[in-house]
Amino acid sequence: MKLPGNLNLDKRSLAFIILTVVLIVEVGLFLPLQVSKIRELNKEIATAKNNLANLDRDWPKRSQYLEENENLREEIKMINGKFFSPRQEASMLSFLSSESEGFAIKIEVLKPIDVKERASTKFGVFESLPVMVKATGRFHNLVRFLDYLQNSKYFFEVKKLDIFSGDPYHSIDMIICGLIKE
């Protein structure tokens, strides 16, 4: 084959040049792509090995994790039950009234107060419903009743507490707040 510029190439030389150009293109373009794919595959393999090692380590504890998960679900359900819903204000007053009877406490005044505090958290919006309570009873019964409210099935916070002595009954003036979850 005769090329311009006085270059003579036979078929072997031409095949060699073509193969050299193809190899240069493959080494220059395709090899880096393949190397990057191999690197990505190695990362995926390392992640899979790590996941398998974690699975081997954690699988024997699976039943323990499931049990803990169920316990946490129950605890969350119980805690969510400690809040009043927005339309349960009457339930709160009824709860305070009925539970006081078990402690031999006579409630004279049980009145919601309009001052409401709101708090917005990542768990929801909470509102504090204050209730004015005036009651009479024996001192120990009053204290046991307050302790009972603090540890009851609902969230209560005593904002104000005045105890007046008397014989044989003491009187109590307090503002207690129930927590309403909207």
Side-chain angles (χ1 to χ4, degrees):
M1 173 187 272
K2 184 98 168 148
L3 291 175
N6 294 332
L7 286 175
N8 285 333
L9 291 177
D10 60 354
K11 288 183 181 181
R12 273 187 170 172
S13 298
L14 185 61
F16 177 76
I17 291 173
I18 291 173
L19 281 175
T20 305
V21 169
V22 168
L23 283 175
I24 289 173
V25 167
E26 187 166 319
V27 168
L29 294 177
F30 297 122
L31 185 63
L33 293 175
Q34 297 303 323
V35 169
S36 68
K37 283 184 182 180
I38 290 173
R39 284 185 183 150
E40 289 176 21
L41 285 174
N42 281 337
K43 287 179 185 177
E44 289 178 20
I45 289 170
T47 302
K49 280 183 180 179
N50 193 14
N51 289 342
L52 282 174
N54 288 340
L55 185 62
D56 283 342
R57 184 188 71 231
D58 292 341
W59 187 257
K61 299 177 185 177
R62 180 179 173 268
S63 61
Q64 177 186 353
Y65 292 145
L66 292 174
E67 184 179 321
E68 287 177 17
N69 188 12
E70 187 59 33
N71 290 342
L72 288 173
R73 286 182 194 272
E74 290 298 318
E75 187 176 343
I76 289 170
K77 186 188 283 186
M78 184 207 47
I79 288 173
N80 280 333
K82 291 180 90 90
F83 299 107
F84 291 100
S85 67
R87 291 171 288 287
Q88 280 187 317
E89 294 174 4
S91 297
M92 180 178 152
L93 298 175
S94 175
F95 176 79
L96 290 171
S97 178
S98 65
E99 295 300 317
S100 68
E101 293 171 3
F103 292 91
I105 294 174
K106 181 181 174 193
I107 293 186
E108 297 165 356
V109 175
L110 187 63
K111 179 175 119 179
I113 302 172
D114 288 336
V115 179
K116 294 182 181 180
E117 298 173 5
R118 293 177 65 92
S120 183
T121 68
K122 67 180 181 179
F123 302 109
V125 177
F126 298 93
E127 192 171 279
S128 179
L129 174 66
V131 175
M132 180 190 318
V133 179
K134 293 185 181 193
T136 58
R138 296 199 181 271
F139 180 77
H140 292 291
N141 291 350
L142 291 170
V143 172
R144 285 184 29 237
F145 178 61
L146 287 174
D147 185 53
Y148 173 77
L149 290 179
Q150 291 289 307
N151 298 309
S152 72
K153 64 180 182 177
Y154 297 112
F155 284 120
F156 286 108
E157 180 183 10
V158 177
K159 291 283 190 176
K160 176 187 165 204
L161 176 63
D162 293 320
I163 298 177
F164 304 100
S165 65
D167 193 27
Y169 298 107
H170 290 62
S171 63
I172 190 169
D173 286 352
M174 70 175 170
I175 296 178
I176 189 166
C177 295
L179 204 54
I180 297 173
K181 183 176 183 183
E182 295 183 5

